[in-house]
Amino acid sequence: MLFDDPDFQETIASVLVPVAVAGAYTYKVPPGQSVVPGTIVKVPLGPREVIGAVWDIEPDAAINPKKLKTISHVYDKTPPLDDDLRRFVDWVANWTLGAPGMVLRMVLRSEEALEPEAPVPGVRRIEGAEPDRLTPARGRVLATMEDGFAWTKSGLAHAAGVSASVIDGLLQQDVLETVLMPAAPPPPKPQLDYAQKPLTPAQQAAADGLTACFGKGGAVALIDGVTGSGKTEVYFEAIAEALRRGKQALVLLPEIALTEQFLRRFEQRFGVYPAEWHSQITVKNRSRVWRGVASGDVRVVIGARSSLFLPFKELGLIIVDEEHDAAFKQDDRVPYSARDMAVVRGHLSGFPVVLASATPSVESIVNAEVGRYKLFELPERASGAALPDLMAIDMRQDGPERGRWLAPGLVHGIAGTFAEGGQSLLFLNRRGYAPLTLCRTCGHRFQCAHCSAWLVEHRFQKKLVCHHCGHQEPVPKACPSCQSVDSLVACGPGVERIAEEVTELFPQARVLVLSSDIAGGPDRLKREMKIVEEGGADIVIGTQLVAKGHNFPLMKLVGVVDADLGLAHGDPRAAEKTFQLLAQVTGRAGRVTGGGKGFLQTYNADHPVIKALLSSDKKAFYQAEIEARRAAGLPPFGRLAAVIVSGPDRGYAEGFSRALARAAPPDQAVTLLGPAEAALAMVRGRYRFRLLAMAPRQYDLQAYLRHWLSIGPKPTKGLRLQVDIDPQHFL
Ligand code: ADP
Ligand code: ZN
Ligand code: ZN
């Protein structure tokens, strides 16, 4: 820069701001301040101020600096976002067709995190000073302070068992003085050799294989191990290796209800808890974790998908546990797959990424087959326990009587397990009491006013609830259509209804429902998971929450109430997802001691998914599924992108989607399907139409979409247009 030329004294920076625009805005850097790419700043944007990050320094921008606004604040206590993270943000934006600023928004979460936490006032003993009169209360205070450390006033009063006035008295007499203490000391570091379990030979081989992935660029490893094979113990050794190399590690889990058990296991291995990152932690803790990750004080994070965007100082490993889980896909704002983007982040920064599952995604299996991923298989349970014996109950022949949902064969199995003191788990992926409520007199069905979905009765709460928008209404006494009183009937079962049946059948058993919507929220759920783990329940009824990786050591029997749910679906991954879910849930049985049993209630005993589950022939199922995908050109052999148009006016949304389809540039490689009304045609008062673009694997579908959307009609009148690359949910 030419500092002697007055025209060039101003530094101009482009700043990415958290709004949905295509690029960065330019600002002047305030005199006397210095910024570099990645520096976090506050800038004026229209009438407000927003937090953004310097993306580039532009010494010779062809803009008259007089017309530019000035950066209003530089957060110079926070390290600038490094090159790797900025490249990652740009990469994700480019891949998802999202605005880079909206991706950056996932990095910059809270302003509070950008300034160091203010120190808190405390008190300390002045050396040698003695009070005029040593009362017993004062004596207790001084004894408590013998170690010479500073205390908060309230903490000291509590520890010494005195009132705050005793401490004030000692302050007045200059026996104690006020000092400032750091708000939170850095968390203790994991200890690499705290308590390593001896690994089985298969586990050791996998752990050694993972360790060998370090220092080889962005290698990806897939641990394909049956439920209970000790995948966690194995990837703990990869974490140890990352820490040994002075790197940080991140573990992604699909469900926060799982973190409790994970935290305890991590502590058993490394002597400390890792940091947690998900929607349930407090703003204060969130800021601490964000800062600790950026400063390097935090070495290991366990988190939900959004932790992928944390500003790690020296990230050197990502583990994606239960990698097949659809919860890793975010659907709103920037639709992205945290599993796939974890692989990208590892690739960009040259560190290993480990995917783990008992039922990997077809995508990951294919990647392992062609050698893109290193495969480590753990075909046996760590305890040596056999996998559960599975059998189908053909509901056409051996089903329950009318109005009942559990077949006699299953009830018999539960009775036997209960008599032996074992736990049973009944799995039904339907919350509430009944999925549909109707009037016996006139046939009126209760539907959500804002969504094309039935209202689900929640009998414990005495409410009808929409599972798509959260709308609730009390269960009415009379039918709103024909005014008949007490004429409402519940159709089909939800978990609450199964619980009712179980309580009737087994009045002495302790019955517990585990569902994500139980009153009391995540804390209660965590407690109840622990109760089950420790044997405080005999029969557990759960939704898909219980399928996800949780270890219930006393669980002996798993009954799948409706194995067909999820098979009939417009989703190309329906078979795969059903297989994964049912293999996972039946895998909860007999994990430690063996002797587990699984029952699948089905009307389709001949369906390939059911047959594959019963024969435990996982490989055959995957091979058949892979061939079917290859033949149909579906992922991972082809690429898919959904374009979803939604708006408050049905006709307008439909007309727009048709016009958009007509504007699609003809291209031999691209097949365009739709527009079709979405399976859930209306959500939250918005009508939805879907277009689906298919192309071969090597084709640059993003470039095609970008071109198409740039020449196509632009959404107006409250219409929203969302692109979803590699969609996972087809509702
Ligand atoms: P997965 O994640 O593959 O389902 P886990 O890692 O949860 O399996 O292990 C299942 C159970 O086996 C856990 O209770 C775990 O502590 C135990 N376990 C795993 N490996 C070993 C080992 N090498 N020695 C002793 N116990 C083990
Ligand atoms: Zn009626
Ligand atoms: Zn609704």
Side-chain angles (χ1 to χ4, degrees), residues 197-201 203-204 223-236 261 265 268 321-322 356-358 378 380-383 549-551 553 584 587-588 591-592:
K197 278 199 177 86
L199 298 180
T200 65
Q203 290 174 336
Q204 190 63 51
I223 312 178
D224 177 357
V226 297
T227 49
S229 58
K231 296 183 284 294
T232 317
E233 306 297 334
V234 168
Y235 70 65
F236 275 171
Q261 193 173 51
R265 285 185 66 178
Q268 283 162 14
D321 202 352
E322 310 292 339
S357 176
L378 298 172
E380 273 157 29
R381 285 180 160 177
S383 57
H550 209 90
N551 197 7
Q584 293 277 351
R588 304 295 113 204
R591 274 161 76 95
V592 177

Side-chain angles (χ1 to χ4, degrees), residues 276-297:
E276 277 179 81
W277 182 269
H278 49 70
S279 57
Q280 302 297 331
I281 58 174
T282 61
V283 174
K284 189 178 212 168
N285 277 333
R286 202 178 291 211
S287 300
R288 282 183 182 162
V289 173
W290 199 96
R291 265 193 307 269
V293 160
S295 70
D297 282 342

Side-chain angles (χ1 to χ4, degrees), residues 448-451 453 455 466-471 684:
C448 178
H450 318 286
C451 308
L455 292 177
C466 172
H467 285 172
H468 298 284
C469 72
H471 165 84
R684 295 172 199 273

Side-chain angles (χ1 to χ4, degrees), residues 9 22 49 123 184 285 338 354 550 567 597 646 672 679 708:
Q9 286 218 350
E49 295 209 302
V123 293
N285 277 333
V354 177
H550 209 90
L567 278 177
K597 286 197 194 89
S646 67
L672 199 61
W708 172 21

Side-chain angles (χ1 to χ4, degrees), residues 170-243:
L170 289 168
L171 277 165
Q172 259 160 29
Q173 294 194 11
D174 289 331
V175 177
L176 304 182
E177 62 181 343
T178 308
V179 291
L180 286 177
M181 314 191 301
K189 302 269 185 290
Q191 302 167 41
L192 298 187
D193 302 314
Y194 182 76
Q196 193 193 340
K197 278 199 177 86
L199 298 180
T200 65
Q203 290 174 336
Q204 190 63 51
D208 292 345
L210 295 183
T211 311
C213 288
F214 285 84
K216 306 231 168 92
V220 184
L222 172 65
I223 312 178
D224 177 357
V226 297
T227 49
S229 58
K231 296 183 284 294
T232 317
E233 306 297 334
V234 168
Y235 70 65
F236 275 171
E237 294 321 299
I239 295 177
E241 180 63 19
L243 296 173

Side-chain angles (χ1 to χ4, degrees), residues 423-704:
Q423 282 176 328
S424 297
L425 170 68
L426 294 174
F427 171 72
L428 177 62
N429 209 4
R430 271 206 198 124
R431 295 181 278 143
Y433 185 82
L436 170 68
T437 303
L438 54 76
C439 168
R440 181 185 296 125
T441 314
C442 74
H444 173 79
R445 295 169 168 217
F446 287 81
Q447 194 178 350
C448 178
H450 318 286
C451 308
S452 32
W454 307 127
L455 292 177
V456 175
E457 182 185 355
H458 285 240
R459 204 160 270 196
F460 298 159
Q461 299 170 30
K462 301 190 175 58
K463 280 186 184 129
L464 293 168
V465 181
C466 172
H467 285 172
H468 298 284
C469 72
H471 165 84
Q472 303 191 345
E473 54 192 65
V475 181
K477 266 250 149 270
C479 169
S481 175
C482 72
Q483 273 72 47
S484 310
V485 176
D486 290 331
S487 73
L488 304 187
V489 280
C491 299
V495 281
E496 291 180 4
R497 196 167 198 179
I498 300 299
E500 189 179 83
E501 186 169 333
V502 165
T503 310
E504 260 178 61
L505 289 164
F506 302 99
Q508 323 83 341
R510 293 164 302 170
V511 177
L512 193 74
V513 175
L514 285 181
S515 165
S516 59
D517 62 347
I518 50 171
D523 283 339
R524 170 154 166 214
L525 200 57
K526 273 189 215 162
R527 280 201 306 277
E528 298 198 325
M529 292 275 221
K530 194 133 189 283
I531 290 175
V532 179
E533 198 185 322
E534 289 166 355
D538 303 309
I539 304 175
V540 181
I541 297 127
T543 58
Q544 61 168 355
L545 199 74
V546 298
K548 296 190 181 183
H550 209 90
N551 197 7
F552 296 126
L554 305 170
M555 200 63 77
K556 285 285 189 193
L557 176 148
V558 172
V560 176
V561 176
D562 185 351
D564 309 327
L565 203 67
L567 278 177
H569 232 256
D571 176 350
R573 293 187 183 86
E576 177 192 344
K577 285 179 185 165
T578 306
F579 178 81
Q580 286 160 339
L581 186 61
L582 299 187
Q584 293 277 351
V585 75
T586 52
R588 304 295 113 204
R591 274 161 76 95
V592 177
T593 51
K597 286 197 194 89
F599 295 88
L600 305 171
Q601 298 197 141
T602 175
Y603 287 91
N604 290 298
D606 297 328
H607 194 286
V609 169
I610 306 289
K611 283 181 137 167
L613 285 164
L614 293 181
S615 63
S616 305
D617 198 348
K618 180 169 135 181
K619 291 232 150 80
F621 173 77
Y622 276 99
Q623 280 323 313
E625 188 62 21
I626 288 170
E627 282 324 309
R629 300 267 186 99
R630 195 196 309 271
L634 286 168
F637 303 101
R639 304 193 49 205
L640 293 181
V643 177
I644 299 133
V645 174
S646 67
D649 184 284
R650 188 182 181 285
Y652 189 67
E654 181 170 19
F656 179 87
S657 8
R658 289 197 191 290
L660 188 63
R662 279 194 301 275
D667 188 321
Q668 293 232 311
V670 181
T671 310
L672 199 61
L673 305 171
E677 190 160 56
L680 258 173
M682 179 174 65
V683 177
R684 295 172 199 273
R686 298 180 70 83
Y687 294 88
R688 302 157 74 239
F689 290 85
R690 297 177 62 103
L691 293 136
L692 194 64
M694 289 176 67
R697 191 186 136 76
Q698 304 305 334
Y699 183 83
D700 187 348
L701 195 53
Q702 276 89 344
Y704 176 86

